[in-house]
Amino acid sequence: MTGRSLQSLLVLVLLTLSLAPTVLAHAGSPPTYTSVVGQPDFSLTAFPGNTLTIPANGDRYLEDVGINSIYGFSGDVSMLATSNSTSLYAQLGLEVAKVAPGSGVYVNITFSSSTVGTYSVNVTGTSGSLVHSFMFQIFVMAPSVGDFALAASQQSLSMLPGNSTTVSVSITSLENFSGLVYVNAFVYASDTYTLNDPFALQATLNTNQVSMLKNQTIVDTLTLETPNLPIHGIYTVKLDSTGGLPTLYHSLNLTVSVLNVDFTLKVNPDFLSTTSGAETNSTITVRSYGFIGTVDFAVSVSPTEINCTLSKPSTPVGAGYGPSGNSTLPGSTQSR
């Protein structure tokens, strides 16, 4: 074979390799198909997920199947849902879904059963030679009984900047209710959710999940913290709770007013005892609640036979002056 022939053959081999399709696995549960990069296709997904727990009470529950265009696919997709048992009803809302290029559609699927067990439902979409599928897993459980109640030790309170407090949140089983209850706290300022806002009121529950026994009360702790900043306003803390099967939902709102900046004084000890001519000491702590500045002191004494002296007539308070912007002043008193 001549050198030209070898060169031509090498070019042909390289060209053939460059045109070979790249195969990608699509998301599925389990994946049952592949597609070629650049070739019009579609995908199937479960929304919000492909596992579902429902009560064995015959009620119908909906999930969604997403059909999405890939690489400009458009056309009709024939849909089919097949349950592995006659004890589980599964029915798609559409038999044929129309998909436009670059877009997607949702088709609902209904599940119901009166028999406790674990089931699977295979969902298949077909368009011409394209066939894709995935599987739902359905857990059918005995319905829960009774209900539960949600309550808080306070539903309206005021706080200063840079302060924290706790509120007791009670979850009580009613009429023999038992099982898991999930509780979450959400903070709103003027109807706006303050997620990840470091300058807003912070609300944290000690636990977000409690396991209830029949006719039991469990107390969770809600911690509220205000930023050490000169920001005031009114916040709403929404407590949401869910539990049971089918799902029970209860919520309540707490109103928290964050006051203007301020500072407080604390004396330790606040009661002194001494003999005539002797000296005793106490410490004044100035705590900032968003306040940054200088605090001036004036001392008045009664009766006049007592002499009181502060280590300094004023002190700076706020950022950079000790924990939480506190300042301490030693003081002494002496009886004449």
Side-chain angles (χ1 to χ4, degrees):
M1 187 176 290
T2 64
R4 182 181 298 275
S5 298
L6 287 172
Q7 185 178 17
S8 299
L9 178 60
L10 180 60
V11 170
L12 178 61
V13 170
L14 291 175
L15 181 60
T16 301
L17 289 174
S18 67
L19 295 176
T22 301
V23 177
L24 297 179
H26 278 222
S29 183
T32 58
Y33 60 92
T34 58
S35 69
V36 178
V37 170
Q39 176 180 312
D41 203 346
F42 67 91
S43 66
L44 294 182
T45 55
F47 182 83
N50 65 332
T51 61
L52 179 67
T53 301
I54 64 175
N57 60 2
D59 288 347
R60 298 190 175 191
Y61 295 87
L62 292 179
E63 290 287 282
D64 285 321
V65 176
I67 311 168
N68 294 289
S69 168
I70 300 175
Y71 301 122
F73 170 87
S74 65
D76 292 345
V77 178
S78 298
M79 302 295 297
L80 178 66
T82 306
S83 173
N84 70 335
S85 172
T86 57
S87 295
L88 178 77
Y89 171 86
Q91 180 64 54
L92 285 160
L94 282 177
E95 292 184 356
V96 178
K98 297 184 179 295
V99 181
S103 66
V105 295
Y106 284 104
V107 176
N108 65 59
I109 180 169
T110 303
F111 301 104
S112 68
S113 179
S114 299
T115 306
V116 172
T118 300
Y119 304 93
S120 62
V121 175
N122 190 65
V123 177
T124 302
T126 304
S127 181
S129 61
L130 300 173
V131 181
H132 303 317
S133 66
F134 72 92
M135 192 164 296
F136 277 102
Q137 189 169 28
I138 311 298
F139 301 97
V140 181
M141 302 179 65
S144 57
V145 299
D147 201 346
F148 66 90
L150 186 68
S153 59
Q154 298 181 74
Q155 287 192 247
S156 179
L157 63 156
S158 299
M159 298 177 64
L160 289 166
N163 201 0
S164 67
T165 190
T166 59
V167 175
S168 296
V169 178
S170 300
I171 305 101
T172 302
S173 164
L174 304 175
E175 300 174 353
N176 296 322
F177 173 86
S178 64
L180 294 176
V181 174
Y182 302 90
V183 187
N184 290 284
F186 305 95
V187 178
Y188 294 85
S190 301
D191 298 325
T192 301
Y193 185 31
T194 62
L195 179 65
N196 299 326
D197 183 352
F199 303 113
L201 175 75
Q202 304 297 309
T204 308
L205 285 160
N206 183 54
T207 181
N208 296 102
Q209 175 183 308
V210 296
S211 182
M212 303 293 299
L213 299 177
K214 294 179 181 180
N215 304 319
Q216 178 190 34
T217 295
I218 294 179
V219 178
D220 199 355
T221 300
L222 174 69
T223 300
L224 302 172
E225 296 180 281
T226 55
N228 191 31
L229 294 169
I231 298 175
H232 65 281
I234 298 177
Y235 293 89
T236 298
V237 180
K238 185 179 182 182
L239 296 175
D240 284 345
S241 61
T242 57
L245 190 70
T247 302
L248 301 166
Y249 171 79
H250 297 288
S251 69
L252 61 85
N253 290 343
L254 280 65
T255 301
V256 181
S257 300
V258 180
L259 305 177
N260 284 307
V261 297
D262 204 345
F263 64 87
T264 60
L265 303 180
K266 184 177 180 180
V267 181
N268 186 33
D270 58 1
F271 179 82
L272 299 174
S273 177
T274 184
T275 58
S276 178
E279 181 180 293
T280 187
N281 298 287
S282 184
T283 299
I284 301 172
T285 299
V286 186
R287 181 173 182 180
S288 167
Y289 291 98
F291 174 82
I292 300 175
T294 300
V295 176
D296 298 318
F297 295 95
V299 179
S300 61
V301 179
S302 178
T304 56
E305 289 77 13
I306 301 296
N307 180 46
C308 182
T309 304
L310 290 174
S311 61
K312 49 186 176 180
S314 63
T315 184
V317 180
Y321 297 102
S324 302
N326 295 351
S327 181
T328 58
L329 296 85
S332 63
T333 60
Q334 183 177 20
S335 59
R336 300 175 182 172

